[in-house]
């Protein structure tokens, strides 16, 4: 019998996870059972994805850069990638501002609910504010300084240092281009093989994806706050979701216009990565799958994916920037502040920079939101207002972050003549003729 396609299997896993959690919360011992016996499997799944992020970046980026054979190609691609990333982020913030000004979710929130939310989430908000203070105190060139590791093993031992690993891999790849072919060839062959092994590991880990997302969603539902608070923040959440949906439409349009690929083709190719982004709330954990899907199912050549996607996962967060814009204006509205046009234009700049600085892990966007609020003169304590619904919105914005990276990699690939036909049309092709386990 033909197996169901991967995205269906993941969706079924997610659905069953939610249903299972609802049944378990009815039982007295249910929530503890889920935390003790189900949640760890979700964590194992996320860890196994994170485990291969650093080796994947090293292997594929070194191979990708050295395959370019010419440094001018690298700078051409680099310039385009960063340029398009910034452009899509500015579009995202503008959409967010448009939606939140139209819906005005903050005006409908009552004084009573506001006080209740501030009271309930003050502690959580304070810890995010303290985290943000550390980042804000850094000097203007700090980000640049942080890019260059003083020890590659140390950098590679922390997933939070992804940009440093990227820097090293690009440098190493450039070195490989510059040395004579005779010496470069065995090193390249090693990284070629290394890279293939890592890609195979992603296939193997993805076999467990439906079970992994089942565990992740079950744990999330059991631990989520009461529905009443969700309702109070309904208009705000809706504004974020509408903005994010519009952004996805923008991507589909861009892909269609630039590459002539239909929305159905694009969504079918990228959907497993989107579902994983939703379940894990982390673009970094999703990166291995994003790379595999874009390369094998959307037809982008490895030289482009290996360069554009790891950089995108760390600096291109359109969903996060859109959310930061909506959240900032929502908090201002809830506190009865009227934001001038120039304050809103300032948000475009700060939200763009803040999303670049956000780490690709759950909840990171909220820490950087503190900086956006401070710049716009909005009370930081307002963070407490949006805490209750942050996790579900984090799940949604991470989907957009990942989709944005995939879109830009297709556009860059097209512009440098590296967009071909997908290597794999069907998930089962991976295993044809090969016994995997
Ligand atoms: N969770 C997001 C990501 O990993 C970042 C954020 O907005 O919190 O892309």
């Amino acid at each position: 019998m033909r197996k169901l396609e991967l995205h269906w299997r993941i969706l079924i896993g997610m659905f069953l996870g939610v249903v299972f959690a609802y049944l378990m919360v009815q039982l007295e011992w249910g929530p503890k059972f889920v935390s003790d016996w189900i949640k760890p499997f979700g964590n194992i799944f996320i860890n196994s994805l994170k485990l291969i992020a650093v080796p994947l970046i090293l292997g594929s980026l070194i191979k990708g850069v050295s395959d370019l054979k010419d440094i001018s190609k690298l700078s051409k691609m680099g310039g385009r990638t960063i340029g398009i990333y910034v452009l899509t982020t500015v579009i995202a913030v503008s959409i967010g501002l448009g939606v939140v000004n139209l819906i005005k979710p903050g005006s409908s929130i009552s004084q009573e609910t506001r006080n209740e939310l501030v009271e309930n989430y003050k502690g959580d908000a304070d810890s995010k504010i303290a985290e943000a203070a550390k980042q804000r105190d850094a000097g203007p060139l700090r980000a640049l300084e942080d890019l260059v590791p003083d020890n590659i093993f140390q950098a590679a031992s922390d997933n939070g240092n992804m940009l440093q690993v990227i820097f090293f891999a690009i440098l190493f790849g450039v070195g490989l281009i510059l040395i004579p072919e005779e010496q470069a060839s065995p090193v390249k062959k090693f990284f070629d093989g290394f890279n293939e092994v890592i890609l195979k590991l992603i296939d193997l880990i993805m076999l467990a994806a439906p079970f992994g997302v089942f565990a992740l969603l079950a744990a999330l539902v059991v631990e989520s706050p009461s529905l009443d608070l969700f309702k109070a923040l309904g208009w705000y959440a809706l504004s974020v979701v509408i903005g994010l949906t519009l952004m996805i439409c923008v991507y589909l349009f861009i892909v269609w216009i630039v590459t002539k690929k239909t929305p159905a083709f694009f969504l079918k190719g990228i959907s497993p990565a989107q579902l994983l982004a939703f379940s894990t709330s982390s673009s970094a954990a999703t990166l291995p799958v994003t790379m595999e899907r874009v390369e094998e199912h959307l037809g982008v050549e490895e030289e482009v994916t290996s360069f554009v996607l790891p950089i995108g996962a760390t600096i291109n967060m359109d969903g996060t920037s859109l959310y930061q814009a909506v959240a900032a204006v929502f908090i201002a509205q809830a506190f009865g502040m009227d934001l001038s046009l120039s304050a809103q234009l300032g948000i475009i700049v700060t939200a763009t920079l803040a999303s670049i600085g956000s780490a690709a892990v759950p909840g990171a966007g909220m820490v950087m939101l503190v900086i956006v609020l401070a710049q716009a003169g909005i009370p930081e304590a307002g963070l407490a207002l949006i805490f209750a619904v942050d996790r579900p919105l984090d799940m949604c914005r991470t989907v957009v972050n990942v989709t944005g990276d995939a879109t830009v990699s297709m556009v860059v690939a097209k512009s440098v003549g590296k967009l071909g036909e997908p290597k794999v049309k069907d998930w089962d092709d991976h295993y044809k003729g090969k016994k995997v386990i």
Side-chain angles (χ1 to χ4, degrees):
M1 195 182 76
R2 208 172 159 275
K3 262 188 157 175
L4 265 182
E5 278 186 83
L6 181 65
H7 58 270
W8 286 118
R9 279 185 273 155
I10 297 182
L11 263 176
I12 293 172
M14 290 165 77
F15 175 74
L16 291 180
V18 173
V19 173
F20 177 73
Y22 272 116
L23 293 178
M24 289 314 268
V25 281
Q26 314 303 326
L27 305 169
E28 206 185 311
W29 51 271
K32 184 157 172 21
F33 176 83
V34 173
S35 297
D36 287 352
W37 294 97
I38 305 291
K39 191 179 174 186
F41 291 102
N43 292 342
I44 291 174
F45 176 61
I46 295 199
N47 284 351
S48 55
L49 281 170
K50 287 188 184 158
L51 171 72
I52 47 177
V54 168
L56 175 70
I57 292 178
L58 273 177
S60 72
L61 205 50
I62 290 175
K63 178 178 183 303
V65 171
S66 60
D67 279 349
L68 285 175
K69 296 197 179 69
D70 178 355
I71 298 179
S72 68
K73 273 197 207 155
L74 183 68
S75 55
K76 188 163 132 195
M77 203 156 77
R80 283 186 197 172
T81 304
I82 306 287
I84 305 175
Y85 274 156
V86 173
L87 189 73
T88 53
T89 307
V90 172
I91 296 177
V93 183
S94 311
I95 290 182
L97 285 177
V99 172
V100 72
N101 279 298
L102 235 117
I103 299 185
K104 294 196 174 41
S107 333
S108 61
I109 202 155
S110 71
Q111 180 107 17
E112 204 187 348
T113 323
R114 196 180 81 191
N115 294 344
E116 189 191 335
L117 286 166
V118 171
E119 188 95 334
N120 278 354
Y121 289 96
K122 196 177 172 322
D124 295 328
D126 284 348
S127 74
K128 294 269 175 192
I129 292 171
E131 239 177 278
K134 276 189 230 145
Q135 312 214 16
R136 199 173 21 193
D137 290 343
L141 289 186
R142 184 59 187 272
L144 204 63
E145 216 181 314
D146 283 348
L147 202 62
V148 187
D150 61 358
N151 184 321
I152 182 58
F153 295 102
Q154 216 168 4
S157 67
D158 177 357
N159 281 344
N161 288 337
M162 216 83 103
L163 279 180
Q164 298 190 339
V165 177
I166 293 173
F167 178 84
F168 175 78
I170 293 178
L171 207 62
F172 196 95
V174 170
L176 267 183
I177 297 177
L178 296 177
I179 63 172
E181 181 64 29
E182 203 190 334
Q183 279 121 342
S185 153
V187 185
K188 277 185 67 177
K189 279 211 180 102
F190 167 78
F191 279 105
D192 278 2
F194 183 79
N195 197 32
E196 282 305 311
V197 174
I198 300 292
L199 289 176
K200 193 41 82 192
L201 292 188
I202 300 175
D203 283 353
L204 290 181
I205 294 169
M206 285 305 280
L207 288 178
F211 305 99
V213 295
F214 171 90
L216 286 171
L217 284 199
L220 213 72
V221 171
V222 166
E223 288 166 5
S224 65
S226 85
L227 272 179
D228 292 349
L229 283 177
F230 279 1
K231 276 191 216 132
L233 293 170
W235 283 109
Y236 157 69
L238 191 71
S239 309
V240 176
V241 171
I242 290 177
L244 294 176
T245 312
L246 287 175
M247 197 58 207
I248 298 266
C249 297
V250 170
Y251 294 140
L252 296 177
F253 184 70
I254 294 176
V255 169
W256 181 57
I257 291 291
V258 177
T259 71
K260 304 278 171 298
K261 300 283 185 198
T262 61
F265 168 86
F266 180 71
L267 288 175
K268 188 164 177 241
I270 198 65
S271 55
Q274 291 176 317
L275 294 174
L276 222 58
F278 185 81
S279 312
T280 61
S281 281
S282 165
S283 351
T286 313
L287 179 65
V289 181
T290 317
M291 287 177 76
E292 194 208 42
R293 298 300 299 190
V294 171
E295 198 184 317
E296 301 197 337
H297 296 255
L298 296 181
V300 177
E301 287 185 24
E302 196 188 9
E303 282 134 85
V304 178
T305 53
S306 66
F307 182 77
V308 177
L309 290 172
I311 295 181
T314 28
I315 68 164
N316 182 50
M317 302 205 178
D318 300 342
T320 300
S321 62
L322 188 151
Y323 140 86
Q324 285 169 340
V326 177
V329 178
F330 166 75
I331 294 171
Q333 289 169 350
F335 280 103
M337 290 170 66
D338 215 2
L339 283 183
S340 64
L341 187 65
S342 67
Q344 302 224 12
L345 290 179
I347 291 180
I348 296 190
V349 179
T350 46
T352 303
L353 294 177
S355 70
I356 292 176
S358 302
V361 295
M366 200 177 207
V367 174
M368 297 306 275
L369 173 62
V370 176
I371 294 172
V372 179
L373 294 179
Q375 293 286 337
I378 303 166
E380 292 164 14
L383 216 59
L385 290 184
I386 55 170
F387 229 98
V389 285
D390 198 62
R391 184 60 197 242
L393 295 182
D394 191 2
M395 297 159 84
C396 301
R397 64 189 188 242
T398 309
V399 172
V400 172
N401 291 345
V402 166
T403 313
D405 298 342
T407 304
V408 174
S409 69
M410 284 192 85
V411 173
V412 172
K414 177 77 186 175
S415 82
V416 293
K418 298 272 176 204
L419 185 68
E421 284 308 309
K423 287 191 209 142
V424 180
K425 299 221 165 47
D426 193 301
W427 177 247
D428 291 337
D429 288 359
H430 277 285
Y431 305 112
K432 277 202 184 121
K434 284 191 191 172
K435 242 177 134 226
V436 248
I437 325 180

